[in-house]
Amino acid sequence: MQLKSARQAWHDCLYTAWDSQGSFIEQLGLLGAMVQTTEKQRMASHAVHQALAGGVQSAIGQLAGSIKAFGNFMYAPRLDADTQEDAEEAVFVMVQQRSPRMTAAKREKLEYVVKGVMARYRYMHQGGQSANPDPLESPEGFRAWMVAHYDVKLESTNWERDWAGFVRLAFECCEDLDKAALSPVAAAINEMRRAA
């Protein structure tokens, strides 16, 4: 495990290599049978990886539930439905708290807008370097994607007034949760680098 960035460290500390005992037990549970594999030699690098991963996992373990769920949504090697729902709920609640009052119909659509923004944000920041462009930057592209994925129609008339502010706010909330999730991990990485 290399300590290049907090995003990469989050992913790597939760990654289970296929030569590990954890993946063996996982296969046994999924298949209900043992699968013969070639064992990889345990080396010092494996022990170093485990030690570094433990430090990052400790930092992640101390996060509040909603922040941890958002971090796992963004950077965990495997994403389950419960974690995704928890992360979406965290962002949706934050957006609602920072938004003006709205009708129930608009709030219902806003939930899907938040999910759409989170999918965009995740795509843009995956890989650890935040180098991907926003795939749905144009309102037309985003509206078409919302219809295709959630069957939610957002009106194009008055886009700036009705939805553009909510999209920006959802991105801001994602950034705030991302910083809250990655800051302790970055601090743990810096501490481990100093100790080395």
Side-chain angles (χ1 to χ4, degrees), residues 162-181:
D162 291 340
W163 294 109
F166 288 111
V167 170
R168 283 191 295 272
L169 181 59
F171 269 112
E172 289 170 13
C173 291
C174 286
E175 288 171 3
D176 291 347
L177 284 169
D178 205 8
K179 288 176 188 172

Side-chain angles (χ1 to χ4, degrees), residues 79-139:
L79 178 63
D80 60 64
D82 291 337
T83 301
Q84 183 169 348
E85 286 176 14
D86 291 346
E88 289 169 348
E89 178 71 17
V91 177
F92 181 60
V93 166
M94 188 180 264
V95 169
Q96 279 187 306
Q97 290 171 346
R98 296 180 183 183
S99 296
R101 297 177 80 182
M102 66 189 87
T103 63
K106 189 162 191 167
R107 185 178 299 109
E108 187 176 314
K109 285 186 177 185
L110 179 61
E111 183 176 351
Y112 292 100
V113 168
V114 166
K115 289 178 183 186
V117 168
M118 288 179 70
R120 291 165 63 180
Y121 189 85
R122 186 170 192 245
Y123 174 81
M124 292 164 60
H125 295 282
Q126 276 197 322
Q129 300 304 319
S130 300
N132 293 331
D134 185 350
L136 301 169
E137 189 173 3
S138 73

Side-chain angles (χ1 to χ4, degrees), residues 10 53-63 181 184-189:
W10 190 303
V56 175
Q57 288 172 357
S58 175
I60 292 170
Q62 295 175 20
L63 295 171
V185 174
I189 289 171

